[in-house]
Amino acid sequence: MNNAAAPTPPAPSYKPTDAASVSAHVSSLSQYSALYEESLRDNDGFWAKQAERLDWIKKWDKVSDCNFNEVSIRWFQGGKLNASHNCVDRHVQNGHGDVTAIIWEGNDPAQTRKISYRELHEQVQRAANALKASGVQKGDRVCIYLQMIPEMAVAILACARIGAVHSVVFGAFSAESLISRINDSSCKVIITQDTGVRGTKQDIPMKANVDKAIGQTPTVEKVFVVRRTGSIVEMKEGRDIVWQTALDSTSPHCEPEAMDAEDPLFILYTSGSTGKPKGVLHATGGYLLYASVTHHYVFDYKPGDVYWCTADVGWITGHSYLIYGPLANRATVVMFEGVPNFPDYGRFWQVIEKHKVNIFYTAPTALRSLMKEGDAWPDQYNLSSLRLLGTVGEPIKSPEWTWYHKVIGKGHCPIVDTWWQTETGGILITPLPGATPTKPGSATLPFFGIRPAVMTDQGEELHGNDVRGCLVLSGSWPGQMRTVYGDHQRFVDTYFKRFPGKYFTGDGCWRDPDGYYWITGRVDDIIIVSGHNIGTAEVEGAIGQHNSVAEAAVVGYPHDIKGTAIYAYVTLKTGQVASDQIRKEINLKVREVLGPHAAPEKLQFADGLPKTRSGKIMRRILRKIAENELDNLGDISTLAEPAVVESLVSGRVN
Ligand code: WT7
């Protein structure tokens, strides 16, 4: 277990200010504690009460029916509801149709669109009808491959409306990543756009990527193409349909489908420690409820607040805290198509000023990249609308925490450091802004109903405080994933095998003397790069696709901006000579196979890799070399050829 990153002394606490507490949904630590205790004592009662937040077509028969030994997880069985009704229709029906649902801020600062709940309602119904007309039925899978445009929300909610299971594939993923994801869940329809714009990049080939993929995706029958840039793209007659035309020519009325609470809502692929991405499956009732409840309490959302989550909808953060949670709560959300450094490093702060953003949720990696450009950028803008700041994706360290607090929040905004995973559906460990004194770098305390526990490698639970080990959850919560799509055994093996009866997160942690949780990093073969998880095996597999490569091993190492970056060790086939050309080609290969976010930052050619006699690569040693901890390589006596270490050290890439 890698505990090296664990901080030792608890840092000073930042207490919620009176202003933050007075009006908050939970306004003191004692109130939090009482509610938390209650949520554990009567877990079903707690969630039944929370479930009143949603509109149910039929009430559930049983709140929870979960067993981690048998790995069976069910919430609100017998209940019927529709997620799109809950995110849109009911707000219109309750007289809030004029409330702005989405403030869309284009990549180009001159492009802004505001979409009210009423407009969203109409668009979603039209899109639902268009999907139906193209043959999509309840239970069918639909792949959504879009950038951050309003149609993303419309497409997602339209699927939810008719009971189709959406699988959003991040817009920067390659054609190859698209193929494996489409085929894994046999999608019938793809929704994409002509081309995309991001920062200085114009005409990102979205439709062209789909065209590349489609020869190898036999289940796809129709492709919807949103006109975003108007660039000319190939349209195949009978298969490709212009989104706008399809919506315009269909009826604006479509009854929402009554879905079982346990019916799948969506699949989202996430990296696994083997090469193949896992299709994380979330269920309708529990997921929607959990996203809504956590958004309400953690972001302390109140009517009228302008809320901005910078995450792309291609990741779980966008699903839960840009679409489902906030829209279920009738929030006004900012959806941003651009990047933090275009046209300049003031972009985020300019958007906050322009739309008077009150609640801002982003990733530590974005903060680091902006912090290094200096305070003059944020200082140019009026950030006084901000009242709450949040982070997610990786531990936030003291320098960027302090910068966020002082320079962005002007010392008066609480910061919620939210720990969770694609698999958990929503936030599990987090401060509540009006209640929890925070310590920079700690995600603090469990959310209502959540039972974290700390385990030794040997599988013993560590009770009490000031303990370090593996972070597990001892009980279920409504937002928990239900299975790996098409591979339930993989779900069982990945999350429930190592510590029987518990859900294993894959993270290490420290529960400090005050009972606060500090996430110390992954204990498995996942690397968190810029807040997104990437499996080492996936990257190794992609590198291995280069003709000259015999073998590759990748590890993470600390990186100023990305948090962790990828260091690759590559052994070439006999007769191949290492060169910058091959290095470039390998890099390109990874971009092509997985996407640019997975490309190694450093690549070292190695004659051999450190292996045990049984042939297992000792990543611990590779990690130390990548981290430049050369005095501290540990025991290398079990290596088959201890001499490789010396040559690896001398060939280290700085
Ligand atoms: C992994 C999950 C949850 C959406 C974004 C990433 C790391 C996430 C924190 C945090 C420390 C964090 C963990 C986790 N992580 N949030 N606040 N502090 N670490 O989702 O790609 O499923 O990755 O991200 O290691 O297991 P994901």
Side-chain angles (χ1 to χ4, degrees):
M1 247 205 65
N2 176 17
N3 264 335
T8 24
S13 294
Y14 288 79
K15 293 224 163 54
T17 59
D18 286 347
S21 296
V22 167
S23 59
H25 296 313
V26 179
S27 57
S28 68
L29 192 59
S30 56
Q31 197 190 347
Y32 156 80
S33 302
L35 261 168
Y36 178 67
E37 290 307 319
E38 175 60 27
S39 74
L40 295 194
R41 195 173 336 115
D42 179 13
N43 196 247
D44 276 8
F46 175 82
W47 287 116
K49 184 144 185 283
Q50 292 299 325
E52 289 168 15
R53 304 177 61 78
L54 300 181
D55 272 8
W56 294 81
I57 297 164
K58 176 178 171 282
K59 215 180 152 182
W60 54 90
D61 303 318
K62 192 162 188 209
V63 178
S64 74
D65 186 4
C66 304
N67 184 325
F68 281 1
N69 290 304
E70 288 161 19
V71 190
S72 154
I73 298 153
R74 296 199 190 94
W75 285 87
F76 303 105
Q77 271 194 95
K80 285 191 184 286
L81 78 168
N82 182 281
S84 98
H85 166 86
N86 274 283
C87 290
V88 190
D89 303 36
R90 60 171 176 158
H91 307 320
V92 178
Q93 287 160 10
N94 294 339
H96 304 291
D98 290 333
V99 171
T100 302
I102 298 172
I103 301 174
W104 180 74
E105 176 71 23
N107 183 60
D108 172 350
Q111 288 190 323
T112 303
R113 263 171 78 186
K114 286 193 180 170
I115 296 145
S116 67
Y117 274 98
R118 182 173 299 106
E119 287 162 328
L120 188 60
H121 192 211
E122 186 188 322
Q123 289 294 305
V124 169
Q125 294 186 78
R126 287 182 182 276
N129 282 329
L131 286 172
K132 276 189 181 172
S134 73
V136 178
Q137 294 175 350
K138 180 173 171 177
D140 285 343
R141 275 79 57 211
V142 172
C143 171
I144 302 178
Y145 182 63
L146 292 170
Q147 304 272 349
M148 292 281 277
I149 54 177
E151 288 79 1
M152 174 75 104
V154 173
I156 284 179
L157 293 167
C159 286
R161 192 168 195 87
I162 63 174
V165 181
H166 58 78
S167 164
V168 178
V169 175
F170 178 48
F173 271 132
S174 64
E176 245 175 276
S177 302
L178 198 52
I179 293 170
S180 60
R181 286 162 175 77
I182 290 172
N183 288 340
D184 185 76
S185 45
S186 26
C187 295
K188 198 168 183 180
V189 162
I190 307 176
I191 303 172
T192 189
Q193 64 191 75
D194 43 16
T195 63
V197 288
R198 254 176 89 77
T200 54
K201 285 192 212 123
Q202 299 291 324
D203 273 339
I204 299 167
M206 306 288 292
K207 172 62 164 64
N209 274 349
V210 169
D211 289 340
K212 258 195 233 166
I214 213 158
Q216 294 173 63
T217 56
T219 53
V220 175
E221 292 169 11
K222 300 276 182 220
V223 179
F224 284 97
V225 183
V226 175
R227 285 261 174 248
R228 162 64 186 93
T229 58
S231 290
I232 310 251
V233 293
E234 230 170 273
M235 294 293 283
K236 185 171 168 192
E237 206 156 329
R239 185 195 68 193
D240 300 348
I241 306 162
V242 175
W243 176 260
Q244 282 91 342
T245 314
L247 265 61
D248 287 348
S249 57
T250 184
S251 147
H253 299 289
C254 172
E255 274 302 301
E257 193 76 32
M259 302 300 290
D260 283 329
E262 279 298 316
D263 276 337
L265 180 59
F266 66 84
I267 299 165
L268 184 61
Y269 287 87
T270 188
S271 298
S273 45
T274 69
K276 191 173 173 243
K278 297 183 283 249
V280 170
L281 188 126
H282 282 290
T284 307
Y287 169 83
L288 184 65
L289 176 65
Y290 197 75
S292 164
V293 172
T294 47
H295 176 263
H296 173 82
Y297 283 110
V298 177
F299 299 107
D300 198 39
Y301 190 83
K302 302 198 192 71
D305 282 337
V306 177
Y307 163 89
W308 183 15
C309 163
T310 68
D312 194 288
V313 176
W315 310 109
I316 191 68
T317 309
H319 280 61
S320 302
Y321 298 114
L322 188 61
I323 308 284
Y324 285 112
L327 296 183
N329 294 347
R330 205 211 311 143
T332 297
V333 304
V334 175
M335 178 190 268
F336 178 47
E337 185 189 38
V339 292
N341 60 354
F342 176 82
D344 58 45
Y345 287 98
R347 187 68 163 117
F348 271 8
W349 323 125
Q350 179 247 334
V351 173
I352 290 173
E353 176 183 282
K354 178 173 172 187
H355 298 300
K356 301 196 172 50
V357 172
N358 307 110
I359 304 165
F360 180 62
Y361 189 34
T362 196
T365 182
L367 295 175
R368 284 191 297 270
S369 71
L370 294 171
M371 181 172 86
K372 80 173 179 7
E373 301 303 323
D375 299 359
W377 290 110
D379 287 351
Q380 282 173 37
Y381 297 97
N382 180 351
L383 304 180
S384 62
S385 57
L386 288 173
R387 71 169 173 84
L388 176 58
L389 303 172
T391 72
V392 61
E394 57 183 310
I396 177 165
K397 297 185 193 74
S398 247
E400 59 262 26
W401 195 99
T402 306
W403 185 76
Y404 203 22
H405 186 70
K406 294 220 163 84
V407 179
I408 306 305
K410 311 296 176 202
H412 72 85
C413 300
I415 296 179
V416 290
D417 173 356
T418 62
W419 174 86
W420 58 296
Q421 310 178 298
T422 305
E423 294 89 335
T424 69
I427 296 164
L428 298 195
I429 301 183
T430 180
L432 296 185
T436 317
T438 56
K439 306 180 187 189
S442 169
T444 75
L445 300 169
F447 188 72
F448 303 131
I450 302 302
R451 300 169 198 262
V454 184
M455 311 290 287
T456 66
D457 281 337
Q458 286 69 42
E460 252 174 86
E461 181 167 349
L462 293 168
H463 296 279
N465 289 338
D466 200 8
V467 289
R468 289 165 198 273
C470 296
L471 177 63
V472 302
L473 281 314
S474 301
S476 185
W477 62 98
Q480 183 170 26
M481 75 183 279
R482 300 298 194 261
T483 190
V484 170
Y485 185 80
D487 194 351
H488 192 68
Q489 193 55 43
R490 188 165 177 204
F491 180 54
V492 175
D493 292 347
T494 311
Y495 305 102
F496 299 93
K497 215 166 183 175
R498 176 127 181 226
F499 302 107
K502 314 235 182 256
Y503 167 84
F504 178 39
T505 64
D507 284 340
C509 80
W510 174 41
R511 186 165 58 217
D512 82 3
D514 296 324
Y516 275 41
Y517 290 85
W518 301 72
I519 308 303
T520 54
R522 301 289 305 182
V523 301
D524 55 14
D525 289 333
I526 301 277
I527 308 177
I528 307 286
V529 179
S530 300
H532 296 297
N533 83 31
I534 296 177
T536 52
E538 262 181 300
V539 183
E540 288 161 4
I543 295 175
Q545 288 189 29
H546 187 284
N547 275 334
S548 312
V549 172
E551 192 174 32
V554 309
V555 296
Y557 72 96
H559 183 275
D560 282 353
I561 304 296
K562 298 180 175 180
T564 307
I566 297 175
Y567 191 119
Y569 298 86
V570 177
T571 307
L572 296 178
K573 288 180 182 155
T574 313
Q576 297 287 334
V577 182
S579 65
D580 272 350
Q581 179 60 25
I582 296 188
R583 187 192 305 271
K584 266 190 215 135
E585 286 169 14
I586 292 174
N587 205 287
L588 222 70
K589 193 79 206 171
V590 179
R591 288 168 172 266
E592 192 184 296
V593 176
L594 296 172
H597 61 294
E601 187 81 14
K602 294 183 181 179
L603 192 154
Q604 174 174 356
F605 291 110
D607 293 338
L609 298 171
K611 292 187 185 166
T612 59
R613 278 179 206 105
S614 60
K616 202 166 176 272
I617 296 176
M618 290 183 74
R619 285 167 198 285
R620 173 176 59 80
I621 294 173
L622 295 176
R623 236 177 259 129
K624 293 283 182 203
I625 296 172
E627 287 166 1
N628 206 10
E629 298 223 7
L630 305 177
D631 303 333
N632 184 18
L633 293 178
D635 181 16
I636 57 170
S637 63
T638 55
L639 284 179
E641 287 178 74
V644 297
V645 173
E646 221 170 285
S647 85
L648 283 171
V649 168
S650 66
R652 184 177 175 278
V653 179
N654 241 318

